[in-house]
Amino acid sequence: RSRDLDRQALYMEAWQAMCDLYQGRWDAAGERAQAVLAHDPQPSTARVVALVTLGRLRTRRGDPAAADALDEALELASRSQTLQRLGPTCVARAEAAWLRGAHDDVEREVARVWTLAAAKGQPWLVGELAYWRMLAGGPVANGDGCAPPYQAELRGDAQAAADAWHARGCPYEAARALARGPAA
């Protein structure tokens, strides 16, 4: 900011909001994402990331306003047709669809970006897409080409998945993995 690089600062803050979300700092994630949106009303990658963060946060908290953030994120991401914008948007929308029990919508969101993600060989995105597809009753991947936590999830090893998520500082994902396991 001291060098008039405000757009880059907003982009970094948007990703910090996403990191806050993954690390269980939900209040900080929401505040930071809202601040980015307040300062970046124009379509931008920073705005997409902030909207995805806010949409995921609202989804996980059961806030019906999640759809508004995720719809706007999709509108902006679709203009670019880039994995950088579409990937995070579609996985957030797939999660929201799964949590509301709309399995056909999960598949639609996965399909929207699957080919691009697979072609780029992006292990985190491919892993998360395969995970949501599996939960919605779609074809189950074996985990090849997926990031380690998703490999464990796709194999049905809840404890290994939770351990991998814990090692990365992601408490929600760790709890989600354990919730699918055999332990009470």
Side-chain angles (χ1 to χ4, degrees):
R1 286 202 172 90
S2 66
R3 291 181 172 55
D4 293 325
L5 299 173
D6 291 345
R7 302 286 288 167
Q8 288 82 357
L10 286 171
Y11 181 68
M12 288 185 279
E13 288 175 16
W15 277 106
Q16 181 60 56
M18 184 76 77
C19 290
D20 288 338
L21 176 71
Y22 279 114
Q23 294 174 342
R25 296 187 299 266
W26 286 10
D27 290 340
E31 291 166 12
R32 196 178 305 269
Q34 289 283 20
V36 169
L37 295 174
H39 287 94
D40 193 16
Q42 302 301 314
S44 69
T45 304
R47 186 167 184 83
V48 172
V49 173
L51 286 165
V52 168
T53 300
L54 201 55
R56 283 194 114 154
L57 175 62
R58 288 175 176 170
T59 294
R60 292 174 180 185
R61 287 182 165 168
D63 183 340
D68 297 337
L70 294 175
D71 288 348
E72 183 181 347
L74 180 61
E75 179 185 330
L76 296 176
S78 294
R79 293 178 191 172
S80 75
Q81 290 299 304
T82 62
L83 190 59
Q84 175 186 12
R85 294 182 188 183
L86 278 172
T89 302
C90 291
V91 295
R93 292 173 60 84
E95 177 182 9
W98 184 77
L99 286 171
R100 70 176 185 274
H103 294 178
D104 290 343
D105 291 348
V106 172
E107 181 55 36
R108 185 180 67 243
E109 295 303 334
V110 168
R112 191 186 311 265
V113 74
W114 178 265
T115 301
L116 183 58
K120 298 290 184 184
Q122 211 290 343
W124 287 95
L125 187 54
V126 169
E128 188 166 9
L129 290 167
Y131 171 78
W132 292 119
R133 179 174 270 170
M134 176 191 70
L135 288 186
V140 178
N142 63 8
D144 290 347
C146 298
Y150 291 113
Q151 287 176 354
E153 301 245 31
L154 294 167
R155 285 191 322 263
D157 190 341
Q159 189 60 57
D163 291 346
W165 285 120
H166 274 298
R168 287 163 176 80
C170 300
Y172 181 88
E173 287 72 15
R176 187 182 66 200
L178 288 173
R180 295 193 62 243

